Amino acid sequence: MSSLILDGKSLAQKTEQELAERVSALRTAANGAAPILATILVGDDPASATYVKMKGNACERIGMESLRVELPASTSTEQLRQTIIDLNNNADVHGILLQHPVPEQIDERLCFDAIDLKKDVDGVTCLGFGRMSMQEAAYGSATPQGIMRLLQAYDLNIEGLHAVVVGRSAILGKPMAMMLLNANATVTICHSRTRGLEQHIKSADIVVGAVGIPEFIKADWIKDQAIVIDAGYHPGGVGDIELAPLIQRVKAYTPVPGGVGPMTINTLIYQCVEAGEKSLLVDG
Ligand code: NAP
């Protein structure tokens, strides 16, 4: 029996059509105003510049606007924090994306946490994480929230299943584990100090690879009919999980590329449209 392919690319495209309709309806209802995502790029890292450009392009495709803020590599924590506060106070801006990573002299956590909860559409603040964990209203961290949206779109009920998340970063592993827990999975979080990683993964009904090492998780650690989520993407088109031997014997898997990646940007703009609707229609 062949496995279900969790096609993030096509779900993201379908969602963009729906978002374009929502943005157009919003413009009609709000005298031409559209949601605006402010993107902040600090320094000249080419990969970060590409990600910010892709996020701006996604805004354009759905008729939303983006406000690009570019700061030099020498920016201080205080200068970046002040930029964020100015954007918090700018009523025309509905979402704020601070591209990670920032240059090392900057206290990234302090700057993330300066983002107003209402505009934290990338889900990076401690407050947003805490509220999401406690099942209170907050935007989820974009990559794990995108993974949850993908699981939901394919009607994969994970209640009662054993999920093993490999990785515990603030933007991916930790919020992923909390989201799976909130969906009633039984969750194990593994990391670089975990003992017996292979045994943990062998008992998983769902495996999330969020390690950052190409094909680190081996196919023969994963049981038949597991659900396999690979957040990694590396040169050569491989992820964090050795996927090729699995595609006939697992229940479902995210392809690399075209699985998790497109859902991350899609979730960012999805959440920014929600923030725009709330600000322009509900809060007036
Ligand atoms: P990260 O901050 O580098 O975190 C990596 C995690 O893996 C850490 O928690 C680390 O454990 C753990 N780890 C490292 N070596 C390990 C080992 N030998 N055994 C078990 N765990 C180990 O990375 P990240 O930002 O979470 O990203 C993870 C992956 O997802 C990367 O491949 C990245 O490219 C990808 N990603 C994709 C998107 C997307 O949009 N598609 C977005 C974000 C990330 P410690 O905490 O103990 O160090």
Side-chain angles (χ1 to χ4, degrees), residues 143 167-169 171-172 191-192 210-213 216 231-232 234 240 261 264:
T143 303
R168 57 173 168 179
S169 70
I171 56 153
L172 183 42
H191 47 80
S192 66
V211 197
I213 304 171
F216 173 77
H234 305 281
D240 290 353
T264 298

Side-chain angles (χ1 to χ4, degrees), residues 39-53:
T39 62
I40 309 172
L41 175 65
V42 189
D44 37 28
D45 175 55
S48 293
T50 303
Y51 288 134
V52 168
K53 193 162 192 285

Side-chain angles (χ1 to χ4, degrees), residues 37 94-96 118-123 139-140 142 267-268 271-272 275:
L37 174 70
H94 305 102
I96 299 172
K118 293 198 290 291
K119 301 190 181 188
D120 180 22
V121 293
D122 202 27
Y139 298 113
T267 299
L268 172 73
Q271 296 189 146
C272 195

